[in-house]
Amino acid sequence: MGSTKHPKDESIPFGAALKKEFPFDPQFRNLNHGSFGAAPRAVLAKLREYRDRADAVPDIFLRYEYPRKLDESRAAIAELVNAPLDTVVFVPNATTGVNVVLRNLVWDADGKDEIISFSVIYGACGKTVDYAIDSGRGLVSRRSIEIEYPLEDDEIVDAFRRAVETSRSQGKRPKIAIYDTVVSQPGVRFPFEELTKLCRELGVLSLIDGAQGIGMLPLDLSALDPDFFVSNCHKWLHVPRACAFFYVPFRNQHLITSTLPTSHGYQSQGVSRPNPLPQDGTKPAFVNNFEFVGTLDNAPYLTVKDALAWRQNVLGGEQRIIEYLWTLAKEGGKKVADILGTHVLENKKGTLTNNAMVNIFLPIKTSPDTAAPSLASDGQIVIPLQDANKAVTWMLSKLMDEYKTFIPINGHAGRWYVRLSAQVYLDTEDFEWAGHVLKGLCDRVGKNEYTE
């Protein structure tokens, strides 16, 4: 990828030239930005400033200065996603937001409520659904929609409509649906806009897990109008870990009575307990509730406005960043697939790769009928099914120990694939390098090195 011009005609090259802005080990290539993100040195310096101020004058900062600075970051996020200021608060991560919603909802005593999700739900969120079922004393059940890629968006939307219709035909009540903006594994764009419209049409609450969202997708929450939305800022917005914004429109804030854990902002219906923290009577109870959730290091929340300023002033703004990420993921993924002799996971309309991650199939498959690695007629390496975990573990260890990188290797619909993340400090050379490294490791698997 070549350099592009800043709006002020200053040349700000994306790619290798930007790596110095991040505190990476010089030998490390961060090709898995989608898991833990990365913050630039400039934003990390602001993080240290906030922490130092908290240590210098703890009470003054935490009780009085922190809420004002938190409001500045809330305002910055609200403007970016086009949401009213007092519909946006912060939580540590997207999984926390999902937990907050499911632990606050009240299930009907008739036991007919259902939680609808998809088989590609993020693991921790899937387990949160499990917990809601297990702790619900029979008041709520689950309905999972099986997804096997590649699929067209309308097929997913149709499957959701059928699931709701089936639920109701069986005497159930589909109360809330959980779905992604971009699925984590495989890293593909999900039709969340269409699903949100359908949820409104069908009278189902929408809970969008946008863990892979802000910073790599354009978001307009006023237009989208979900019932609940949470997105990690530390993944794609260059904010230090751990930070996510949590959006709840005014119409639903009465449903979210407790933070996680419950803290000073909770207002019981039966007992009155004092709140020892300063209260701003101009803010909704929802905002006051999430302002202080125990004594935690919430300094990353304060850096959101700084990260957005850095992205605007140094990188040229959100549109330029997103365009680069999507283009790099698409072009880089194709180069990796060409090197491996495979293809990118994509559908006919090309919507799955409309994000900053790309999934490329490996030239490896497993078979229960083979006793040792062999080469199939289509050129694929075939290994014994029982060796799958051992081979993947071996490949990951070699990626880390020999090549100083990490690339997720997973399976979907019987195929092995890798997920690569595009980012402003990477370019197509990084993807080509990854392709050759993966090709070499696949060849070594074919030679049975993973059993040595």
Side-chain angles (χ1 to χ4, degrees):
M1 308 295 291
S3 301
T4 57
K5 293 290 184 178
H6 187 275
K8 297 180 180 179
D9 293 327
E10 300 174 4
S11 178
I12 304 176
F14 286 168
L18 267 175
K19 288 182 181 177
K20 66 179 184 299
E21 300 289 339
F22 293 81
F24 296 129
D25 184 310
Q27 295 182 316
F28 182 73
R29 293 203 195 211
N30 193 29
L31 301 174
N32 186 34
H33 189 101
S35 281
F36 301 112
R41 298 179 189 277
V43 178
L44 291 171
K46 295 297 296 185
L47 178 72
R48 287 190 289 273
E49 284 184 24
Y50 299 132
R51 286 173 171 165
D52 288 347
R53 180 65 178 166
D55 289 334
V57 287
D59 281 285
I60 294 173
F61 182 82
L62 294 174
R63 293 177 186 271
Y64 298 97
E65 295 180 10
Y66 173 79
R68 292 195 295 270
K69 292 184 180 298
L70 186 67
D71 286 345
E72 294 174 2
S73 278
R74 288 199 306 114
I77 281 288
E79 180 179 3
L80 178 61
V81 301
N82 190 28
L85 172 62
D86 287 338
T87 62
V88 174
V89 295
F90 290 107
V91 291
N93 51 57
T95 304
T96 300
V98 171
N99 269 264
V100 167
V101 174
L102 292 186
R103 291 169 187 257
N104 272 278
L105 288 183
V106 177
W107 312 114
D108 197 279
D110 63 12
K112 294 181 180 180
D113 287 338
E114 277 194 336
I115 301 170
I116 298 182
S117 61
F118 292 83
S119 60
V120 291
I121 189 172
Y122 181 63
C125 294
K127 290 186 176 182
T128 304
V129 173
D130 297 342
Y131 174 79
I133 306 301
D134 295 343
S135 61
R137 295 181 175 85
L139 297 183
V140 61
S141 56
R142 68 171 66 79
R143 186 175 298 270
S144 179
I145 302 169
E146 290 299 313
I147 292 291
E148 186 172 302
Y149 287 108
L151 279 178
E152 302 303 316
D153 292 345
D154 56 3
E155 293 180 280
I156 295 173
V157 175
D158 289 345
F160 178 76
R161 183 186 292 274
R162 289 194 302 272
V164 172
E165 292 172 350
T166 301
S167 174
R168 287 174 173 155
S169 70
Q170 295 174 351
K172 294 292 188 176
R173 182 187 305 108
K175 181 162 186 171
I176 188 168
I178 306 174
Y179 49 90
D180 302 271
T181 50
V182 175
V183 175
S184 178
Q185 292 291 353
V188 294
R189 175 75 169 258
F190 213 62
F192 64 95
E193 298 97 336
E194 293 85 353
L195 286 170
T196 305
K197 291 178 184 177
L198 188 54
C199 280
R200 283 198 300 274
E201 175 189 325
L202 299 177
V204 179
L205 291 172
S206 54
L207 168 52
I208 303 179
D209 176 7
Q212 309 279 358
I214 193 168
M216 71 126 106
L217 298 179
L219 297 173
D220 184 335
L221 295 189
S222 290
L224 182 63
D225 195 26
D227 288 300
F228 308 99
F229 187 102
V230 62
S231 187
N232 287 327
C233 300
H234 58 250
K235 282 189 183 287
W236 296 96
L237 204 65
H238 298 126
V239 171
R241 294 175 292 272
C243 176
F245 84 89
F246 179 39
Y247 164 84
V248 181
F250 294 116
R251 66 177 182 271
N252 291 331
Q253 290 184 3
H254 69 285
L255 300 174
I256 306 299
T257 59
S258 176
T259 55
L260 184 69
T262 301
S263 193
H264 291 298
Y266 179 71
Q267 297 177 352
S268 172
Q269 298 301 308
V271 179
S272 177
R273 301 181 191 275
N275 186 337
L277 300 168
Q279 297 295 292
D280 185 340
T282 66
K283 297 177 183 177
F286 170 73
V287 174
N288 280 323
N289 202 2
F290 281 84
E291 195 165 79
F292 184 90
V293 186
T295 305
L296 304 170
D297 181 9
N298 290 334
Y301 299 175
L302 307 185
T303 68
V304 168
K305 64 181 184 300
D306 304 303
L308 285 170
W310 184 82
R311 287 164 67 88
Q312 178 63 45
N313 299 330
V314 176
L315 302 185
E318 298 303 310
Q319 181 177 347
R320 180 173 182 255
I321 296 168
I322 290 173
E323 287 177 356
Y324 182 84
L325 299 186
W326 287 25
T327 301
L328 177 57
K330 290 174 185 288
E331 294 181 356
K334 186 178 184 304
K335 287 182 179 292
V336 174
D338 288 344
I339 292 169
L340 294 174
T342 61
H343 61 277
V344 169
L345 175 58
E346 183 58 287
N347 58 18
K348 293 178 181 178
K349 292 186 178 179
T351 60
L352 299 183
T353 56
N354 285 340
N355 71 100
M357 298 187 293
V358 62
N359 312 276
I360 308 100
F361 289 111
L362 291 175
I364 298 178
K365 58 184 178 181
T366 56
S367 172
D369 301 321
T370 185
S374 61
L375 195 64
S377 58
D378 60 2
Q380 295 238 352
I381 298 164
V382 183
I383 67 171
L385 178 61
Q386 65 269 23
D387 287 358
N389 288 337
K390 182 187 295 185
V392 169
T393 300
W394 179 86
M395 291 179 72
L396 291 175
S397 68
K398 295 304 178 185
L399 283 169
M400 292 183 286
D401 297 341
E402 296 183 11
Y403 297 101
K404 309 304 179 188
T405 191
F406 185 90
I407 301 173
I409 302 173
N410 284 286
H412 181 77
R415 296 290 305 276
W416 287 24
Y417 70 91
V418 293
R419 189 195 73 186
L420 291 170
S421 299
Q423 194 43 251
V424 294
Y425 50 74
L426 300 174
D427 52 37
T428 52
E429 187 277 330
D430 292 292
F431 279 72
E432 291 172 351
W433 178 86
H436 289 296
V437 167
L438 291 166
K439 180 66 166 63
L441 288 176
C442 290
D443 290 344
R444 291 167 67 180
V445 167
K447 295 175 182 176
N448 210 20
E449 284 191 32
Y450 66 91
T451 63
E452 296 176 359

